[in-house]
Amino acid sequence: MADVADPAAVKAMVDGVLSRFGRVNILVRNVSVRREVPLLNMTVEDCRISLQQLARDDRGDSRVPPYSQCLASPSVAAGTKLASVQTVRSVTLQHQTEQRNMKNPFSALLLAATLLPLPAAAIVLVQTSDSGYYNNQIGSVLDLSNTGSDTCAEPFPVGNDCTNSYPTAPNLSAASGILGNWLTNPQSLNGNWTSSASIPTTWAVGTEVAIIYQFNTLGATNVVAQFGVDNGIFVWLNGNYLLGARAGGGPALGEYTLNLGDLAAGTHYLQLLVEDHGGSNGYAVLITADTYTPGPPPGSNVPEPGSLALFGLGLAGLRLVRRARMVR
């Protein structure tokens, strides 16, 4: 490390690198000078010193910081790949004219800061160990309740282990008293539901359980839900049916992926029914978003979910990706 405002320090740093390694393969030009004070407390001089390292000033004079001069040395420049970070420079140059006319001398810096791209990193909304509402009282009352036969067409088989998907929601009337109004009014669940600190990853073999995840948000973008389940899963968003599928084999996260789009402001409920028909079972989940703003709990002055463009209301664009096994 070196003080890049001191040419002698820069030279000593470069000489040390060349002495030890023989050459510089990659040089990242990502150096600036800033005052260690809150942004709104910066003086005009603080702002000028910070910006002149990365841009031209209003007179058009080129401000070449000392760390750039070392590149002129053939021993450094030869064979060196230069990665120059120009984001702040380009933003600053773009807004120089506006800066001259702004009453607040720091407005240009604030504007530049808002325009800088942030690194893309998914925000985890739900993972397997997270809490939710849980109902393990269903037992086996749904077995063969839709078709009456243990075939591939039955969403809740007894032993049939085929791979299948279900484009329409299953009939849950056999368990209606147990599930209550979980799809129509999840804010008022019956006594079969518990608020679990951590949703179990296994349950009684040969039975079904239901899960609800609640989101209170002011908005989220690019929400993606990944599931792994042994054996079957049925998914609703605020009571709207999205997915039904089952297959043999153990749970593998990403086995089913739902690209849900954007989440508008409000309270939202992701309702799941997971199915098992013998042997063993398991469950895994990961729900992420590119951006997420937490919101107030239900009952605050937030529009009701029914009046919102829930998850973009993009159900027509909903894409089911079956990674581990093919769903027919």
Side-chain angles (χ1 to χ4, degrees):
M1 297 177 61
D3 180 358
V4 297
D6 182 353
V10 172
K11 184 177 185 304
M13 177 182 67
V14 173
D15 289 344
V17 171
L18 295 179
S19 174
R20 181 174 179 180
F21 299 104
R23 60 181 291 175
V24 176
N25 293 321
I26 300 174
L27 176 63
V28 180
R29 294 178 55 189
N30 186 23
V31 180
S32 64
V33 176
R34 64 184 178 90
R35 302 296 190 187
E36 296 294 336
V37 296
L39 179 63
L40 296 181
N41 293 340
M42 290 181 69
T43 66
V44 173
E45 181 64 14
D46 292 336
C47 185
R48 184 190 64 79
I49 292 173
S50 296
L51 293 179
Q52 75 175 14
Q53 301 297 319
L54 299 167
R56 298 174 183 272
D57 67 7
D58 287 344
R59 298 170 303 182
D61 295 332
S62 177
R63 304 296 188 185
V64 181
Y67 66 81
S68 295
Q69 295 174 2
C70 73
L71 294 176
S73 170
S75 61
V76 176
T80 300
K81 294 183 179 180
L82 176 64
S84 181
V85 179
Q86 298 290 350
T87 306
V88 176
R89 172 184 171 86
S90 63
V91 172
T92 305
L93 291 175
Q94 179 180 353
H95 294 285
Q96 281 179 351
T97 303
E98 290 88 338
Q99 181 182 6
R100 299 188 190 102
N101 298 324
M102 289 180 178
K103 294 181 180 179
N104 185 344
F106 309 113
S107 296
L109 183 58
L110 288 169
L111 180 59
T114 63
L115 293 178
L116 292 180
L118 296 177
I123 300 169
V124 175
L125 305 184
V126 175
Q127 54 190 351
T128 304
S129 60
D130 284 348
S131 60
Y133 297 101
Y134 190 66
N135 187 335
N136 64 352
Q137 300 301 306
I138 304 170
S140 59
V141 299
L142 289 173
D143 285 0
L144 308 183
S145 61
N146 279 235
T147 67
S149 60
D150 196 20
T151 65
C152 201
E154 173 59 55
F156 307 105
V158 175
N160 183 282
D161 205 29
C162 76
T163 296
N164 199 13
S165 61
Y166 303 89
T168 59
N171 184 347
L172 303 180
S173 58
S176 60
I178 300 171
L179 291 169
N181 53 5
W182 76 303
L183 293 178
T184 58
N185 187 18
Q187 293 187 29
S188 180
L189 298 172
N190 66 26
N192 293 316
W193 290 86
T194 61
S195 179
S196 176
S198 180
I199 298 298
T201 59
T202 61
W203 60 99
V205 171
T207 68
E208 281 70 59
V209 297
I211 302 165
I212 298 177
Y213 296 110
Q214 177 178 319
F215 304 95
N216 304 316
T217 182
L218 297 179
T221 60
N222 193 29
V223 180
V224 177
Q226 300 181 55
F227 303 101
V229 64
D230 179 8
N231 296 107
I233 186 168
F234 302 88
V235 182
W236 292 259
L237 171 64
N238 298 312
N240 298 306
Y241 182 68
L242 303 182
L243 161 69
R246 66 178 177 88
L253 187 62
E255 180 181 4
Y256 305 98
T257 298
L258 287 172
N259 296 318
L260 299 173
D262 297 341
L263 175 63
T267 300
H268 307 273
Y269 300 91
L270 193 65
Q271 297 124 321
L272 313 176
L273 186 68
V274 291
E275 176 270 339
D276 179 60
H277 48 262
S280 62
N281 55 45
Y283 168 73
V285 61
L286 178 64
I287 304 175
T288 62
D290 284 354
T291 62
Y292 184 85
T293 304
S300 303
N301 294 324
V302 177
E304 289 297 320
S307 64
L308 302 173
L310 299 175
F311 279 80
L313 279 181
L315 300 187
L318 186 66
R319 193 159 55 90
L320 168 62
V321 180
R322 188 69 164 92
R323 293 183 179 174
R325 301 186 285 260
M326 182 180 296
V327 176
R328 296 188 298 273

